[in-house]
Amino acid sequence: MNDHDPNEPDGAGAGPHRSGVRRRLPKRKSVWIGAAAVTCAAAVGLSLALSTSSSAVAGQSTSGSSSAAGAAAGGGATGGGGSNARSGPAAGGSTGTVGSVSTSGFTITTSAGQQVTVSEASSTSYVNGTSPAAASAVTAGESVLVLGTTDGTSITATRVTVEPAGSGGSAASSAAGVVPFQQGAPSTAKQAGQIPADYTEGSGTIVSGTAADQATEAALAAYPGGVVDRVVRLSSGEYEVHYIGVNWPHHVFVNQDFKVVGAD
């Protein structure tokens, strides 16, 4: 006679003689265990995905930060040599007619109509023609060449030269083909003379001192009306003199003998 209770799960109450028989789990419990396994696997997969994503973002952030740091070290430029990128005031100058004069400086208006503010310092030197002069030589209406440190349309003068009357006037500017700046007008694209063969925009190194002064003076004599805000020495030893305040030229090229050879 079978004494097994039909309501009792298989294996329940089995004696030692049934210890080798595998006990089956209830169907509901099997479902719960299967669901738990799937959930666990999904959680592990999500964790791995998040970990990979975080690593990728971190890598991108590090790469971006390195690039930004490199750009800052190179003066803000990431290509073309970068070293001629103007990150602050640089050697330059301008020519024009003196307007107002004060105890700390004066203003000039270039032949292209650009107004420039000139600051004087105790170290500023003055020349009248070819002779040394005093600050009093600078008076309203005089034509002057100003060399110094340029910051936009402001110049801290290191040297001021009073030039012969009419030097670098609007007639000379027009004759040289200088195009005055006009708000909203497109920049003029043209080339004059010879552009150094090794020149690419953004290449070269910003210079100062005597070389910058001589290159600036040569450029302004050939193309009066602009404001020179930096001078760049190219790998060939020639110079690119960078103009602002006019629609053309943007760059004036000066050779090693400080003779203007071209412009664009």
Side-chain angles (χ1 to χ4, degrees):
M1 178 177 179
N2 185 2
D3 59 356
H4 177 62
D5 187 346
N7 295 321
E8 184 180 7
D10 290 344
H17 67 283
R18 300 192 60 182
S19 60
V21 179
R22 185 176 64 184
R23 182 179 179 181
R24 292 189 302 167
L25 294 174
K27 184 176 182 181
R28 180 178 299 176
K29 185 175 293 186
S30 298
V31 171
W32 287 349
I33 292 175
V38 171
T39 302
C40 182
V44 170
L46 179 59
S47 177
L48 289 173
L50 289 175
S51 176
T52 302
S53 177
S54 298
S55 298
V57 171
Q60 292 173 356
S61 176
T62 301
S63 175
S65 298
S66 298
S67 298
T78 57
S83 56
N84 89 353
R86 184 177 181 274
S87 59
S94 191
T95 58
T97 303
V98 177
S100 60
V101 179
S102 69
T103 56
S104 60
F106 54 93
T107 62
I108 64 172
T109 301
T110 72
S111 56
Q114 179 67 58
Q115 185 163 317
V116 179
T117 301
V118 180
S119 299
E120 298 169 290
S122 58
S123 58
T124 303
S125 64
Y126 301 86
V127 178
N128 191 342
T130 58
S131 303
S136 58
V138 179
T139 58
E142 294 283 4
S143 294
V144 296
L145 162 68
V146 180
L147 298 174
T149 301
T150 305
D151 187 4
T153 55
S154 296
I155 303 173
T156 300
T158 55
R159 191 178 89 208
V160 179
T161 301
V162 178
E163 301 183 311
S167 298
S170 58
S173 181
S174 297
V178 174
V179 179
F181 174 77
Q182 292 182 336
Q183 187 71 38
S187 295
T188 301
K190 65 177 181 178
Q191 178 180 319
Q194 181 179 351
I195 308 302
D198 66 332
Y199 174 70
T200 55
E201 190 167 352
S203 64
T205 304
I206 292 177
V207 297
S208 58
T210 302
D213 288 347
Q214 289 181 294
T216 297
E217 192 167 354
L220 290 171
Y223 294 98
V227 179
V228 175
D229 72 341
R230 66 180 178 270
V231 177
V232 177
R233 183 167 51 228
L234 305 175
S235 60
S236 62
E238 295 175 291
Y239 298 89
E240 174 218 327
V241 181
H242 191 270
Y243 270 34
I244 61 172
V246 293
N247 272 2
W248 190 90
H250 304 294
H251 314 100
V252 178
F253 299 96
V254 178
N255 66 17
Q256 294 171 329
D257 296 323
F258 299 102
K259 305 294 184 183
V260 172
V261 295
D264 70 0

